[in-house]
Amino acid sequence: MAELQARAEGSAEGGWDGSASTSAPGPTAQALSISELLSLIFSFSHSVALTTSARVCKGWSDAALDQLWEHLSSVFPLVELVLDIRLVKLVNNFVSLGGLNSDLAEADWTRFHSYAKRVRSLEFDETLRYRSDPDTPDLNFAVIAVLCLHHPFGPALLPRLRKLRWTTEGSAISMLPFLSSELKELYLEMSTVTVSTINEVFNATIGRTPNLAIFHLEATVSGVTIETALARWLQATPNLEEISLPRHYLTPSLVRVMGSLPRLETLDQSYKSLGHPGNQSKVVQHFPPDTFPSLINLGLNAMPSVAWRFLLASQEIGIRLSRIVLHAPDNVDTQDLLTFTSHVVENCSGMTELFLNLFNRSVSTAPDISPLPMALLESLYPCTKLKRLCIGHPFPFTFQQDDVERMGRAWPQMVNFEVCPDPDFGFPISDQMGSSLSILAAFAKSLPNLEVLALYINREEHLSLGDNLYPQWQFQKLTELDVGLSAVPSDRLRDVGFYIASLCRERPRVTYGEANWHSGLVPDDRDKIEVAWNEVHHIVGSAMEVKRAAQRRLREISTDAGVPV
């Protein structure tokens, strides 16, 4: 980037490549005159570099500013373009709107619009502080109303916004001016609001997002109390392709509307606990025939026995599902789980992805939970098209070599395998639990095309890993090794990093941490373990550089000798 900037600075005295202005532009200048290429380069830059690049020349300014303003994590950087944020605090303290009106009447709205039209993604969480200000003001109705009154460029403050994530403990009505006809994704989380407040939001939003494709809702109110307003809004949003709702929101009215959406491919129920259980008895028990014409991905927040009966009664839809997600809200009976997976195998022949979130929400009330049996995975062997399997559970899973060999024969297309990498340390998770690190060699042999592998590794393993960087069996495409909440085996960072590198053709990311759906406790020394795995990640990178250099040298020698590698 520094070299490109230096060349561009030469344009002040001559051509793009620093030559005299009468000279033809060089190849670098010609390349940088292609706006798409310049935007691609800037997409890899951080904010400081983008700020500097925006000052280089007019040709760079637009492309750099587009990247710099593409995503905002607050609305206040925009608000500050036209008024002093201290005035917003005064309004919230019931001071007259006169000062706010006066400032906005004289504001540079052309400047505001020049930045606003660049924003493609916005996140606003009213519970977070802006710039660590403990007195971050609320974006209340009065402030929004005055902003809209003075805004001269149409009803949408962000006319090209495509993704909006809005989190509030009150009303979300303040988000309305940020909606636009170009919006494709809306993630809305409302807690501690009244039924009338949330009904207001959906009634006021009708017709504002005609091209919306993805809608996720988290709310605390009961589904039956808002189903009329929500159904009316859904009906006015016919291009939806993905919907996620709280648990117990599959009421007859909402199912009827969603089932008529022609493009809806994904319907999910959130794993979070915001959903109100009050209308559980009014949730539909199956999808009616001739509904959901495009549905291929289904997520259910239900116990395995309930999900099994639901799929059994909805066979017309179940037979074409390619992805199934099950969030179990309570302690799971193993036999019920096996019944569910057996039904999936028999009736969902096209399934390629299965997610099982089996974390119990109430550890103290579930003392009898034990590790999952291998029989669970064996029950899925007939799903020969399976490409992705993700299971979350309070206990880690222990794999043996013959288990991995059978999985390799059953699932030749598997690319993403994540099974119990992040247990709940509220249970007695001993240092001996989990798989041996050496099991990675079995995965490399039996499932060489894995792209993501997530396992819990035994902490107390006595390593004897050898020093061969070129074993016979290696992962061909592995991009991420997720160790969940594992500790580094025997604290031997260098040996572990070297061993992981030896099993990979390309450098993988070694990641540590719990999944989004994890509920429960983490290790007491979590921060220390994370630092250790970060060091392992760097060791893997260093070992991979040595490995690549040796391979390049081997190819050179082979080429000189006329011997194929």
Side-chain angles (χ1 to χ4, degrees), residues 23-88:
S23 302
T28 301
Q30 293 179 26
L32 294 178
S33 68
I34 303 173
S35 59
E36 293 82 2
L37 180 58
L38 195 60
S39 296
L40 179 62
I41 294 172
F42 286 153
S43 69
F44 294 97
S45 300
H46 52 75
S47 59
V48 175
L50 289 171
T51 302
T52 303
S53 299
R55 296 189 178 103
V56 170
C57 63
K58 176 62 176 174
W60 283 34
S61 181
D62 280 340
L65 288 175
D66 282 346
Q67 291 294 330
L68 194 60
W69 284 82
E70 181 178 27
H71 172 76
L72 293 181
S73 55
S74 173
V75 301
F76 290 114
L78 278 168
V79 174
E80 287 181 317
L81 290 173
V82 289
L83 56 86
D84 189 331
I85 197 171
R86 289 175 295 182
L87 288 175
V88 181

Side-chain angles (χ1 to χ4, degrees), residues 187-392:
Y187 303 85
L188 180 59
E189 183 171 328
M190 293 180 285
S191 59
T192 64
V193 296
T194 63
V195 172
S196 60
T197 300
I198 197 169
N199 279 330
E200 269 181 8
V201 171
F202 286 113
N203 287 331
T205 311
I206 291 176
R208 294 177 183 265
T209 55
N211 296 308
L212 196 69
I214 298 175
F215 174 61
H216 287 217
L217 173 67
E218 296 286 355
T220 55
V221 299
S222 170
V224 294
T225 60
I226 66 164
E227 63 177 348
T228 300
L230 179 55
R232 189 160 50 238
W233 177 79
L234 289 170
Q235 203 164 21
T237 316
N239 295 312
L240 282 168
E241 299 172 8
E242 177 180 323
I243 297 176
S244 177
L245 298 174
R247 190 184 180 203
H248 306 316
Y249 267 50
L250 294 184
T251 65
S253 176
L254 292 175
V255 166
R256 183 167 57 253
V257 172
M258 291 187 293
S260 67
L261 296 175
R263 299 183 181 180
L264 187 64
E265 295 183 353
T266 300
L267 177 59
D268 196 8
Q269 287 182 295
S270 171
Y271 63 87
K272 296 183 180 179
S273 302
L274 291 182
H276 193 288
N279 60 317
Q280 183 175 5
S281 61
K282 298 183 180 180
V283 172
V284 297
Q285 303 303 309
H286 68 281
F287 289 151
D290 302 320
T291 57
F292 297 95
S294 301
L295 192 69
I296 55 174
N297 305 313
L298 177 63
L300 297 172
N301 190 322
M303 296 301 291
S305 57
V306 175
W308 166 67
R309 289 193 294 270
F310 188 95
L311 290 174
L312 185 64
S314 311
Q315 291 191 30
E316 178 185 306
I317 293 173
I319 198 170
R320 50 183 161 86
L321 292 178
S322 62
R323 186 179 73 184
I324 297 176
V325 182
L326 175 66
H327 302 292
D330 208 339
N331 188 17
V332 172
D333 178 79
T334 300
Q335 189 54 52
D336 285 346
L337 188 58
L338 289 171
T339 301
F340 170 77
T341 54
S342 297
H343 173 82
V344 167
V345 167
E346 294 174 6
N347 297 279
C348 305
S349 58
M351 186 183 66
T352 60
E353 301 182 20
L354 177 63
F355 298 76
L356 301 175
N357 174 13
L358 308 178
F359 279 107
N360 183 16
R361 307 299 198 277
S362 304
V363 172
S364 61
T365 62
D368 299 328
I369 293 180
S370 57
L372 294 173
M374 188 63 198
L376 173 62
L377 299 188
E378 291 172 347
S379 70
L380 295 170
Y381 284 172
C383 291
T384 57
K385 298 179 181 178
L386 203 60
K387 295 182 178 180
R388 187 173 188 185
L389 178 62
C390 300
I391 302 177

Side-chain angles (χ1 to χ4, degrees), residues 294-501:
S294 301
L295 192 69
I296 55 174
N297 305 313
L298 177 63
L300 297 172
N301 190 322
M303 296 301 291
S305 57
V306 175
W308 166 67
R309 289 193 294 270
F310 188 95
L311 290 174
L312 185 64
S314 311
Q315 291 191 30
E316 178 185 306
I317 293 173
I319 198 170
R320 50 183 161 86
L321 292 178
S322 62
R323 186 179 73 184
I324 297 176
V325 182
L326 175 66
H327 302 292
D330 208 339
N331 188 17
V332 172
D333 178 79
T334 300
Q335 189 54 52
D336 285 346
L337 188 58
L338 289 171
T339 301
F340 170 77
T341 54
S342 297
H343 173 82
V344 167
V345 167
E346 294 174 6
N347 297 279
C348 305
S349 58
M351 186 183 66
T352 60
E353 301 182 20
L354 177 63
F355 298 76
L356 301 175
N357 174 13
L358 308 178
F359 279 107
N360 183 16
R361 307 299 198 277
S362 304
V363 172
S364 61
T365 62
D368 299 328
I369 293 180
S370 57
L372 294 173
M374 188 63 198
L376 173 62
L377 299 188
E378 291 172 347
S379 70
L380 295 170
Y381 284 172
C383 291
T384 57
K385 298 179 181 178
L386 203 60
K387 295 182 178 180
R388 187 173 188 185
L389 178 62
C390 300
I391 302 177
H393 188 267
F395 279 94
F397 206 102
T398 302
F399 291 99
Q400 305 298 331
Q401 183 170 334
D402 56 344
D403 298 331
V404 179
E405 290 174 354
R406 287 195 295 269
M407 290 189 298
R409 291 192 294 269
W411 303 319
Q413 301 180 58
M414 182 70 70
V415 296
N416 193 313
F417 187 85
E418 305 174 50
V419 177
C420 310
D422 46 1
D424 178 357
F425 280 78
F427 290 93
I429 308 299
S430 71
D431 290 344
Q432 292 75 37
M433 285 185 171
S435 300
S436 164
L437 183 68
S438 59
I439 200 67
L440 295 181
F443 276 94
K445 177 181 178 181
S446 300
L447 293 163
N449 293 317
L450 282 178
E451 297 175 8
V452 177
L453 175 60
L455 302 171
Y456 185 81
I457 305 299
N458 185 326
R459 183 172 195 157
E460 289 299 315
E461 180 183 9
H462 298 288
L463 301 178
S464 178
L465 304 175
D467 57 359
N468 180 14
L469 267 178
Y470 308 96
Q472 180 180 1
W473 307 106
Q474 300 182 41
F475 291 108
Q476 304 299 308
K477 301 178 181 179
L478 193 70
T479 59
E480 179 179 356
L481 175 62
D482 180 357
V483 296
L485 294 175
S486 313
V488 178
S490 302
D491 293 321
R492 290 170 57 182
L493 279 60
R494 179 185 175 280
D495 292 339
V496 170
F498 187 92
Y499 180 65
I500 292 172

